[in-house]
Amino acid sequence: MQSLKVLIAESDPLLQKLYSDVIINDSSFTLLKCVSNGEELFDAMKCVDVDLVLLDLFLKDFDAMADLDELRKSYSRTDYIVVSSGENPELVRKALCIGVFEFLVKPFSFDRLRAALKNYQIYHHSLTGRTRPWQQEDLDALLAMKSHDPSWSANRSIPKGLQLKCLNDVETFLKEHDATFSAQEVGESLGLSRSTARRYLEFLTMSERVVVEYAYRRVGRPEKRYRMALL
């Protein structure tokens, strides 16, 4: 999949560096630029094609109440993860009303930021890469990404003998990695037997949450390997 282009709009140089390190160390994203104020933000948006902005609402020369609307109007295909203080409830409401993907209240953990980025990656590619008609349950699952709900399977019935927590653990493990995994590898990572991991993986495959790829060997049958599917 093509990497997603990210712009960081943050006035604090230390936070710029920390956010940059998270982006640079994730091959799913490409860091385009860091800006420190509203003027630089709008100038950058005019010059580069941006998929996602990490945005602090309290930038100098940035009137969030008005400029959020301007950003949405002028760059409708760009998404935003707000990384900001939550001290102004009306501003939080404004950001949510214009449809920011996530609002991370400072201070937050970098694991939380990484989770937001992973959710956005799946959300973006699911929207732009979809070729078959949408079903309601698929849209429900996709929209759940915006509420940071990792338990997509909680909205679906599961067969007797499978545990919801274990199912979510398997799904979360695959979400957190871009590679493919065998049932043995998933089981070892989560403390499950290969046969148990395979049951959960096969159920997720039947539910179109996971896809199978085959690794062909010189001898014997090809190995089944699993990865998260686009919705």
Side-chain angles (χ1 to χ4, degrees), residues 169-170 173-174 177-198 201 213 215 217 223-227:
D169 287 345
V170 171
F173 173 80
L174 292 178
H177 300 85
D178 292 329
T180 62
F181 295 88
S182 67
Q184 179 73 33
E185 291 167 338
V186 173
E188 290 175 353
S189 298
L190 297 177
L192 305 172
S193 68
R194 182 174 66 174
S195 60
T196 298
R198 183 185 295 116
L201 289 164
E213 296 181 359
R217 314 176 198 180
E223 180 185 44
K224 293 181 75 171
R225 301 187 65 81
Y226 304 84
R227 65 170 174 81

Side-chain angles (χ1 to χ4, degrees), residues 10-18 36:
E10 167 61 58
S11 57
D12 186 323
L14 176 58
L15 290 178
Q16 276 192 14
K17 177 64 167 60
L18 293 173
S36 301

Side-chain angles (χ1 to χ4, degrees), residues 21-32:
D21 289 344
V22 172
I23 298 296
I24 291 169
N25 289 318
D26 190 332
S27 61
S28 300
F29 296 91
T30 298
L31 178 61
L32 296 177

